[in-house]
Amino acid sequence: MSASEPTMLDAGHFTTLRITESVDRLHAQLDRPEVRNAIDATMITELHAVCAYLEQHPKVLILSGTESGGKGIFASGADIGQLRERRRADALRGVNSTAFDRLAKLPMPVIAALDGYALGGGAELAWAADFRLGTPEVKIGQPETGLGIIPAAGALWRLRELAGEGIAKEILLTGRILDAQESLQHGLLNAVHPAHELLDAAHALADRIAKQDPLAVRISKQVFSMPREAHPQIDNLAQAILFESEAKFDRMQAFLDRRDAKAAAAPEPTSGDDR
């Protein structure tokens, strides 16, 4: 890292995201409670800035919402006022889809901590994450067809990959809203936690990721997203890189040392004649 590169994200000018950063993770909190965290053009710009930073300084990203009217909320969807005015050229630019795709391709895992509503673009933002944790109050779905549009920021293909064709079509074509248990049942949530424990659970998950070798995590995420026809060749190439890493030798030697120390400390078995 050169002396000119920032070690922390300069988010002092952000107006829609609140940023908290540590050595191994960054927490971005959606912060437009007056409109239930509706995703507008400014938030998309700030998400791009977060992605640009994490592409250069790989860290786990935690996404969460805030409170609105005393209740937790992730994101109620895209800002309908702005969406109403968008035309063909805006759709072809992929305003939201480009940002969410960039987020999904970040080097390190992304954790979405969902409370309350995660609808429309808010749900699509969650689908782009690697992990989704929720509260019992979660309501998640894609109401776009009721507004005369489609969910064009990833739901039309990510939902089938995540939950299967049947439930994906119910969500996409009927506007069905799932609660926390239904989302958990269909694999759309990894776990459900009480609201007051949600962020602690997200950080605990980030702690577990942080215990792994960062390069192995990054390469695993990249290889996982490759098409089937790329395997097993891509796996072999990725493993070849990791087989030469210092972390591989250090971590495996540490494992062998712990095993040997445990074996040496174990009491020797006694024979039956000693009883």
Side-chain angles (χ1 to χ4, degrees):
M1 182 186 302
S2 69
S4 62
E5 285 186 305
T7 57
M8 304 288 280
L9 178 64
D10 180 13
H13 62 287
F14 283 9
T15 60
T16 71
L17 300 177
R18 279 193 278 169
I19 302 298
T20 306
E21 186 178 1
S22 62
V23 173
D24 59 10
R25 72 199 62 174
L26 187 148
H27 177 197
Q29 183 180 15
L30 280 59
D31 189 29
R32 299 187 73 214
E34 69 282 359
V35 289
R36 300 194 300 175
N37 289 341
I39 300 170
D40 68 349
T42 301
M43 186 179 289
I44 290 295
T45 297
E46 293 176 3
L47 284 172
H48 273 297
V50 168
C51 288
Y53 175 74
L54 292 177
E55 287 162 356
Q56 295 299 316
H57 307 279
K59 300 183 180 189
V60 172
L61 172 62
I62 297 174
L63 291 169
S64 71
T66 185
E67 286 193 357
S68 176
K71 295 182 179 180
I73 189 165
F74 182 67
S76 59
D79 190 301
I80 300 298
Q82 291 187 5
L83 201 60
R84 166 66 178 79
E85 299 306 315
R86 289 181 186 170
R87 305 303 293 263
R88 177 175 53 198
D90 299 302
L92 292 174
R93 285 193 299 116
V95 176
N96 288 6
S97 63
T98 300
F100 297 172
D101 195 52
R102 188 176 186 182
L103 183 141
K105 293 176 180 176
L106 285 174
M108 292 293 282
V110 178
I111 302 168
L114 312 178
D115 191 13
Y117 288 114
L119 300 175
E124 291 182 294
L125 177 59
W127 306 145
D130 298 288
F131 303 96
R132 284 162 296 281
L133 307 179
T135 70
E137 292 73 36
V138 159
K139 300 291 183 184
I140 192 163
Q142 303 290 162
E144 283 88 348
T145 53
L147 296 170
I149 58 174
I150 63 172
L156 285 173
W157 55 277
R158 284 197 177 102
L159 264 178
R160 176 163 51 188
E161 293 181 354
L162 290 169
E165 184 171 325
I167 190 63
K169 283 184 175 179
E170 277 198 60
I171 295 169
L172 294 166
L173 305 182
T174 74
R176 179 178 171 186
I177 305 298
L178 272 59
D179 63 22
Q181 286 306 313
E182 290 171 326
S183 299
L184 186 64
Q185 174 188 345
H186 292 291
L188 297 173
L189 291 178
N190 293 88
V192 176
H193 302 276
H196 67 279
E197 297 177 4
L198 181 63
L199 283 180
D200 287 342
H203 281 288
L205 179 55
D207 289 340
R208 287 161 54 193
I209 296 168
K211 291 179 181 179
Q212 312 307 307
D213 172 46
L215 182 60
V217 171
R218 290 179 61 179
I219 290 180
S220 293
K221 179 174 176 177
Q222 290 178 335
V223 173
F224 185 88
S225 66
M226 293 292 181
R228 175 62 184 89
E229 56 268 21
H231 303 279
Q233 290 83 0
I234 189 66
D235 307 67
N236 297 338
L237 290 170
Q239 192 75 299
I241 293 171
L242 291 168
F243 270 11
E244 298 299 325
S245 72
E246 290 186 17
K248 174 247 188 178
F249 291 100
D250 292 344
R251 284 173 174 264
M252 288 191 176
Q253 188 60 53
F255 173 87
L256 294 173
D257 292 345
R258 290 193 301 270
R259 186 192 64 182
D260 292 345
K262 184 176 180 180
E268 293 187 8
T270 56
S271 67
D273 293 340
D274 294 331
R275 287 181 295 177

